[in-house]
Amino acid sequence: MFALNSNVVDTGTPPIPAARAWMAAYDGAAGPPIDLSQAAPGSPPPPALLERLAAAAGRPDIARYGAILGDAPLREAYAGEVSRLYGADAGPDDIAVTAGCNLAFLAAALAVAGPGASVILPAPWYFNHQMTLQMLGIGVTPLACRPEDGFVPNPTAAEALIDATTRAIVLVTPNNPTGAIYPEGVIAAFEALCRRRGLALIIDETYRDFLSNGTNRAHGLLAAPGWRGTVVQLYSFSKAYAVPGHRIGAITAGPQAMGQILKVLDSFQICAARPAQDALAWGITGVAEWRAETRATINRRIAAFETVVNACEGWQISSIGAYFAYVRHPFAGVAAERVAEALARQRGVLGLPGSFFGPGQEGHLRFAFANADEAAIATLPGRLGGLAP
């Protein structure tokens, strides 16, 4: 028998399929099943975008390989979007298009760190980030985020964790899994820390389109001179444009990082899927109104979820925003996985246990409500109440 890569063997199994198996035992007694496990858009793309996706897929020229860093029209359009949002001077040379934001993270991490190096990752973390680093042989240094701080990471605590192996700090805002929205001052403090200590700040903004401030601007870093020497910004088109199956993400970075990202992308993807690149180059401005309506819908669901869960005895929202709520369950001393499994099997509601997102999370469940409408959310009190894990 041949040997296997120990870094991969020691990495956890993808958690969402494992959790969905719990729903097979649900008998339907509490009502239709509600899947709150995955951050999936709750509606299809707008018809005009679907039409352009179909038309692009039928073009022979788009069936050929494209540029490693992405087709010029999308890089130009997205650079314009970044510049408009952030008051930046971003151009197409600052942009790479990737096969989804998970690959954007892999490319950014591999560009700045390797075996023997480490990355500071706020915990609870997005499990695919931790899994990617582990498979690459890059050390993960957890930065504990506390419920009493709204799960916002502390720059002073992060600096105490920096050692000779540290190459980057990762931020995700709005956060997956907690929904926490990091204040601009906190993000600026992390950028200053990274600049002072010669580290990369990798900031994942997959969910920025759902900020309730209406600007979609998570921070002011890209308006400042010199950002290209510190900041590597990640983005996903999946959620805001409802195209997760088309796997399109983006990286915004300076030339030093981009030269290395190009090597990674050439090896892992050659080029991102070109029909979606073609359609999205138009869609950035072409479906802007639809995106704004989707943001308003998600923010109504945030309000509905908050109202409903606050009325459930013993359940407490620790943090909420964008697609997610991070909720403390009322069963002290009971493992989060046991609570989540009972909720799925007995009540037909699938959330993910906090333990899927790192150490010290047994008291919480994560709910992703973007694909659950307000009517489904309204049924939660009857399902959460009286649960017996």
Side-chain angles (χ1 to χ4, degrees), residues 3 45 85 124 158 162 177 226 233 247 285 298 300 305 358:
L85 285 178
I162 296 172
Q233 182 194 52
R247 310 308 304 132
T285 56
I298 294 299
R300 286 194 297 271
F305 191 92

Side-chain angles (χ1 to χ4, degrees), residues 92-380:
D93 288 346
D94 298 311
I95 307 299
V97 179
T98 64
C101 197
N102 275 1
L103 183 58
F105 177 78
L106 182 149
L110 197 51
V112 302
S118 66
V119 168
I120 293 174
L121 203 60
W125 50 52
Y126 173 44
F127 46 70
N128 282 150
H129 285 173
Q130 184 274 333
M131 293 167 70
T132 295
L133 294 171
Q134 183 167 353
M135 286 189 282
L136 293 174
I138 299 170
V140 174
T141 303
L143 171 59
C145 299
R146 309 185 308 168
E148 54 266 41
D149 297 329
F151 289 102
V152 174
N154 185 302
T156 302
E159 184 159 23
L161 298 175
I162 296 172
D163 62 24
T165 71
T166 309
R167 298 292 180 270
I169 298 174
V170 176
L171 300 179
V172 181
T173 184
N175 187 258
N176 177 7
T178 66
I181 295 169
Y182 301 167
E184 280 200 38
V186 170
I187 298 171
F190 271 101
E191 189 276 339
L193 168 61
C194 288
R195 181 163 27 88
R196 187 173 72 249
R197 299 297 294 268
L199 306 176
L201 177 63
I202 300 174
I203 180 164
D204 183 333
E205 298 176 37
T206 292
Y207 301 96
R208 72 169 181 231
D209 297 88
F210 306 102
L211 288 167
S212 59
N213 62 15
T215 68
N216 298 350
R217 172 186 163 126
H219 53 77
L221 303 185
L222 303 186
W227 66 265
R228 290 173 178 85
T230 302
V231 179
V232 180
Q233 182 194 52
L234 312 182
Y235 179 69
S236 170
F237 291 90
S238 295
K239 309 305 188 292
Y241 296 83
V243 289
H246 287 279
R247 310 308 304 132
I248 300 291
I251 303 172
T252 304
Q256 181 178 0
M258 195 61 75
Q260 310 314 308
I261 288 166
L262 180 145
K263 299 175 188 177
V264 177
L265 295 180
D266 185 42
S267 298
F268 279 84
Q269 72 172 17
I270 300 180
C271 66
R274 300 189 66 208
Q277 291 191 64
D278 183 86
L280 289 167
W282 167 83
I284 285 174
T285 56
V287 300
E289 184 175 341
W290 180 88
R291 290 165 61 199
E293 292 169 357
T294 301
R295 178 176 65 246
T297 296
I298 294 299
N299 279 283
R300 286 194 297 271
R301 289 179 187 173
I302 290 172
F305 191 92
E306 196 164 20
T307 298
V308 163
V309 175
N310 283 340
C312 297
E313 185 176 357
W315 296 81
Q316 179 182 354
I317 295 175
S318 294
S319 187
I320 189 168
Y323 270 36
F324 306 108
Y326 209 57
V327 179
R328 183 179 292 280
H329 66 72
F331 307 103
V334 179
E337 187 166 341
R338 181 174 163 185
V339 176
E341 182 173 358
L343 186 59
R345 290 177 178 272
Q346 298 175 25
R347 304 298 172 82
V349 177
L350 184 59
L352 296 184
S355 53
F356 283 6
F357 303 98
Q361 304 302 314
E362 294 293 355
H364 285 83
L365 271 60
R366 188 201 77 174
F367 296 103
F369 44 75
N371 58 355
D373 61 22
E374 291 170 56
I377 291 170
T379 70
L380 289 176

Side-chain angles (χ1 to χ4, degrees), residues 49-72:
L49 186 59
L50 284 172
E51 290 169 8
R52 287 179 179 265
L53 285 164
R59 284 171 44 191
D61 60 311
I62 285 185
R64 303 188 185 103
Y65 284 132
I68 296 169
L69 292 178
D71 290 348

